[in-house]
Amino acid sequence: MLLGLAFSVQSQGISKNALGLRFGDNNGFGGEISYQRGLSKSNRLEADLGWRNSRNFDAFQLTGIYQWVWNIDGGFNWYAGVGGGLGSWSYKYNNNKDNGTFAFAAGDIGIEYNFDIPLMISLDFRPEFGGTNYYRDSYNSDIALALRYKFN
């Protein structure tokens, strides 16, 4: 009976493609364009592009995460993943200028709901660990709400 339950939980599947926006506070980026590509019934790749453009500060960040997805019940899934990314920033204020590039490792854990219409909503937590030129103490994290359109 337990073996049957384990296979039925994995058989719910995930969307082949999903595109939308991820709203968080990722080191001042605030929002990201987010794309998910289903690889199997329980695995997918997520790519997020965040950018910031203001009078004194410009930056972008590209994140890629491999995720495992488990069905909770009906349209509810939870997921966890690992990955990393790259970014660049520049700062200019009065006569002060500075810029840099950075790389980081990231994790991801969250919950999502797949509506009967082609819409998905999710809430996740993403810790990030970086090296030189990364955020204070080489660590940053965010909690984000995402809305994505699902398609094949």
Side-chain angles (χ1 to χ4, degrees):
M1 188 168 116
L2 290 174
L3 187 58
L5 179 61
F7 284 114
S8 69
V9 168
Q10 293 296 330
S11 67
Q12 298 296 324
I14 55 177
S15 300
K16 189 69 173 171
N17 296 288
L19 179 65
L21 297 174
R22 184 176 181 270
F23 302 101
D25 185 25
N26 195 359
N27 197 17
F29 287 95
E32 299 172 327
I33 295 174
S34 180
Y35 173 71
Q36 292 178 336
R37 174 72 176 170
L39 302 175
S40 70
K41 290 184 179 182
S42 61
N43 301 97
R44 68 180 171 214
L45 290 175
E46 180 175 325
D48 300 319
L49 174 62
W51 71 93
R52 182 177 181 188
N53 186 2
S54 66
R55 180 184 298 179
N56 302 320
F57 186 79
D58 298 320
F60 82 89
Q61 176 174 310
L62 180 62
T63 307
I65 297 182
Y66 183 87
Q67 296 175 334
W68 293 267
V69 182
W70 298 275
N71 184 258
I72 298 171
D73 185 35
F76 280 101
N77 295 326
W78 75 278
Y79 56 91
V82 295
L86 300 169
S88 176
W89 58 272
S90 66
Y91 172 80
K92 181 172 46 172
Y93 184 71
N94 292 332
N95 291 329
N96 299 322
K97 293 182 182 181
D98 199 5
N99 62 52
T101 58
F102 58 90
F104 62 93
D108 195 26
I109 187 165
I111 188 168
E112 69 187 18
Y113 183 75
N114 290 286
F115 292 94
D116 291 334
I117 59 174
L119 178 68
M120 175 192 332
I121 187 169
S122 66
L123 181 67
D124 66 33
F125 171 71
R126 180 184 296 166
E128 297 174 355
F129 304 92
T132 306
N133 288 324
Y134 193 66
Y135 197 66
R136 288 182 242 141
D137 300 325
S138 299
Y139 173 78
N140 189 38
S141 64
D142 74 335
I143 295 175
L145 178 70
L147 296 170
R148 295 183 184 93
Y149 172 76
K150 304 180 298 185
F151 60 98
N152 288 327

